[in-house]
């Protein structure tokens, strides 16, 4: 099941990347981005779109890794509690 989930996630990511590349390849005019405090140099719109796509994907992966780490740590705590409970329960059954 994990392999299927990973394959579906990979396929969706690959499709999103291909769509992003195809969309951005059609937008080749030079554009400069004006952020509030500074202005970035003019580059083709395709490069800006690919950079924003890659940045979004990296941010999602970064945030997801924190969530996964937190859940794994909590799972470890629960597993330790369960093993302690099982140990005390087995000690109580033996008179």
């Amino acid at each position: 099941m994990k392999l299927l989930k990973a394959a579906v996630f990979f396929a969706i990511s690959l499709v999103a990347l291909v769509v992003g590349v195809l969309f951005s390849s059609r937008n080749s005019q030079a554009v400069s981005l004006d952020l509030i405090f500074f202005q970035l140099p003019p580059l083709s719109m395709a490069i800006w779109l690919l950079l924003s796509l890659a940045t979004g994907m990296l941010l999602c992966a970064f945030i997801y890794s924190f969530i996964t780490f937190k859940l794994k740590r909590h799972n470890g705590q629960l597993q330790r509690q369960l093993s302690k409970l099982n140990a005390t329960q087995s000690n109580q059954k033996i008179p």
Side-chain angles (χ1 to χ4, degrees):
M1 189 59 146
K2 282 187 176 183
L3 183 61
L4 179 65
K5 189 176 180 180
V8 168
F9 177 75
F10 179 73
I12 290 172
S13 299
L14 189 62
V15 167
L17 184 63
V18 168
V19 168
V21 169
L22 289 175
F23 179 74
S24 64
S25 67
R26 305 242 182 219
N27 298 296
S28 60
Q29 62 269 25
V31 176
S32 64
L33 289 181
D34 184 14
L35 302 175
I36 295 173
F37 297 110
F38 57 93
Q39 187 171 4
L40 297 174
L43 293 173
S44 72
M45 191 180 291
I47 292 174
W48 289 124
L49 289 172
L50 286 174
L51 285 173
S52 65
L53 178 69
T55 303
M57 291 173 73
L58 288 174
L59 284 174
C60 286
F62 185 68
I63 291 169
Y64 184 71
S65 67
F66 276 115
I67 293 170
T68 302
F69 176 74
K70 182 180 175 183
L71 289 174
K72 283 185 179 183
R73 187 176 52 146
H74 186 65
N75 189 23
Q77 290 172 349
L78 292 174
Q79 290 292 336
R80 284 189 293 278
Q81 286 178 357
L82 181 62
S83 64
K84 285 180 184 178
L85 287 173
N86 285 336
T88 58
Q89 191 176 34
S90 65
N91 288 340
Q92 289 176 355
K93 286 184 178 179
I94 302 173

